[in-house]
Amino acid sequence: MSYLNQKMSKKMSIKQVLVTGATGKTGSLVFRKLQQRHDEFSVLGFARSSEKVKQLFGTEADFYFGDIREPSSLDSALAGCQALVILTSAIPKMTAPPQPGERPNFAYESDSMPEAIDYEGQKNQIDAAIKAGVEQIVLVGSMGGTNENHPLNLMGKGKILIWKRKAEKYLVDSGIDYTIIRAGGLLDQPGGVRELLVGNNDDLLNNPPNGIPTSIPREDVAETVVQALRESNSRNKAFDLISKPETDSTVSVTKDFAALFAQTTPEI
Ligand code: NAP
């Protein structure tokens, strides 16, 4: 193959990916990880604040701006994309500092309740992806959605995990290849140093192996997203994801993501 043909064929095999929620804590990690793999991916971000993008990435290049509640703002961002990573989420705000010994109270802005962001907003993204001919959607959700009384569902009367689950069902029924990652409690700790565990429909939450915390570093979730875009056996799978606590032994650290995805199943 000539050098020019080699270059063209490499360019044609590069996957164009849009990351929404790219200014979020996990979304920004995914965005950066995909940027580093420029031989495989061409990454675009979707955000609502140009200031935040400049603060995080130093430039607005490769960003589209809009709001997931406005379906039309997603169309141009998704044009030409083969994959979409959904990392948007409703964000509750503390209403007042907690009294000593009490838990803090949280509420959502009235126009940004989980129904609007985690259901309608995700549905808008999925519909826009269908329109644009996107082949795969990787969606990061949360464990706990099988329990209506989970503290996150009660927070701000938002039923956030219930609405996330409804959007996940919409994705599964959409016909687009899906990878749904329902993460445990997110930690801002280093990734790539733990063994990752997958589960199904909150089984890890209800019966954590050896009582380990059902949490995971955001970096490990971000890496799992990237690998889900690379490994074909991540497609049409929905799974819970946590990590074992970090140990001195590096033997069991998860490196083979195809083997991890092989343990996961389609949503039923
Ligand atoms: P995050 O930092 O809260 O990011 C949420 C992103 O959504 C932000 O970029 C935000 O934009 C964007 N967003 C919200 N409303 C939007 C709108 N109307 N239009 C466009 N963008 C909008 O996320 P995270 O804490 O990394 O969590 C990632 C995912 O994991 C979420 O789905 C979360 O529910 C789930 N999860 C979290 C936990 C946990 O322990 N926190 C546990 C399990 C799963 P701005 O940057 O402009 O605000």
Side-chain angles (χ1 to χ4, degrees):
M1 203 189 278
S2 74
Y3 175 70
L4 197 65
N5 281 348
Q6 263 179 1
K7 245 184 121 173
M8 269 176 63
S9 115
K10 198 158 186 200
K11 201 164 179 201
M12 280 166 69
S13 67
I14 287 180
K15 204 179 264 184
Q16 187 165 309
V17 185
L18 180 74
V19 180
T20 63
T23 46
K25 295 195 196 97
T26 311
S28 56
L29 295 174
V30 171
F31 187 84
R32 288 202 171 95
K33 278 178 180 283
L34 290 172
Q35 270 188 327
Q36 282 161 10
R37 290 182 176 265
H38 43 79
D39 276 8
E40 292 175 80
F41 299 106
S42 156
V43 57
L44 299 168
F46 186 85
R48 53 185 176 172
S49 157
S50 132
E51 219 153 87
K52 204 164 172 184
V53 167
K54 278 191 264 177
Q55 233 173 44
L56 279 167
F57 304 105
T59 165
E60 300 179 331
D62 303 327
F63 264 83
Y64 283 86
F65 293 94
D67 192 300
I68 56 167
R69 291 167 299 182
E70 295 293 331
S72 58
S73 67
L74 291 157
D75 291 341
S76 43
L78 278 162
C81 287
Q82 283 85 49
L84 165 66
V85 175
I86 299 183
L87 259 153
T88 48
S89 182
I91 306 171
K93 293 195 170 61
M94 206 194 292
T95 47
Q99 296 304 310
E102 282 184 10
R103 281 167 168 258
N105 277 322
F106 287 88
Y108 298 94
E109 308 266 353
S110 58
D111 63 351
S112 300
M113 292 292 285
E115 180 176 359
I117 305 298
D118 295 281
Y119 180 58
E120 295 293 345
Q122 292 200 6
K123 230 165 127 254
N124 290 340
Q125 296 178 63
I126 296 161
D127 287 341
I130 294 170
K131 224 175 12 167
V134 164
E135 292 157 20
Q136 182 187 13
I137 296 182
V138 181
L139 184 156
V140 177
S142 173
M143 280 164 60
T146 61
N147 175 8
E148 248 185 76
N149 295 316
H150 188 285
L152 287 176
N153 279 325
L154 304 179
M155 187 184 280
K157 298 192 178 136
K159 296 189 185 158
I160 187 165
L161 303 181
I162 302 290
W163 290 113
K164 280 182 190 285
R165 277 259 170 178
K166 278 188 201 273
E168 289 163 18
K169 166 98 176 64
Y170 190 80
L171 171 57
V172 170
D173 292 342
S174 73
I176 294 190
D177 282 357
Y178 64 86
T179 308
I180 297 168
I181 302 171
R182 298 184 180 121
L186 298 179
L187 308 170
D188 291 321
Q189 288 178 15
V193 291
R194 297 165 180 239
E195 181 181 351
L196 306 187
L197 300 178
V198 290
N200 238 326
N201 289 320
D202 292 340
D203 54 358
L204 291 168
L205 201 58
N206 299 329
N207 287 303
N210 301 320
I212 61 167
T214 51
S215 53
I216 180 166
R218 280 185 167 87
E219 285 226 20
D220 284 324
V221 174
E223 186 61 24
T224 308
V225 169
V226 172
Q227 297 296 336
L229 293 165
R230 302 181 71 236
E231 302 289 351
S232 57
N233 70 343
S234 73
R235 291 186 180 220
N236 300 319
K237 303 284 185 62
F239 54 91
D240 299 348
L241 185 68
I242 63 168
S243 66
K244 283 193 179 170
E246 190 180 345
T247 64
D248 290 341
S249 158
T250 54
V251 182
S252 53
V253 170
T254 298
K255 296 203 174 73
D256 183 347
F257 281 80
L260 187 78
F261 297 138
Q263 300 168 44
T264 62
T265 52
E267 180 75 331
I268 38 160

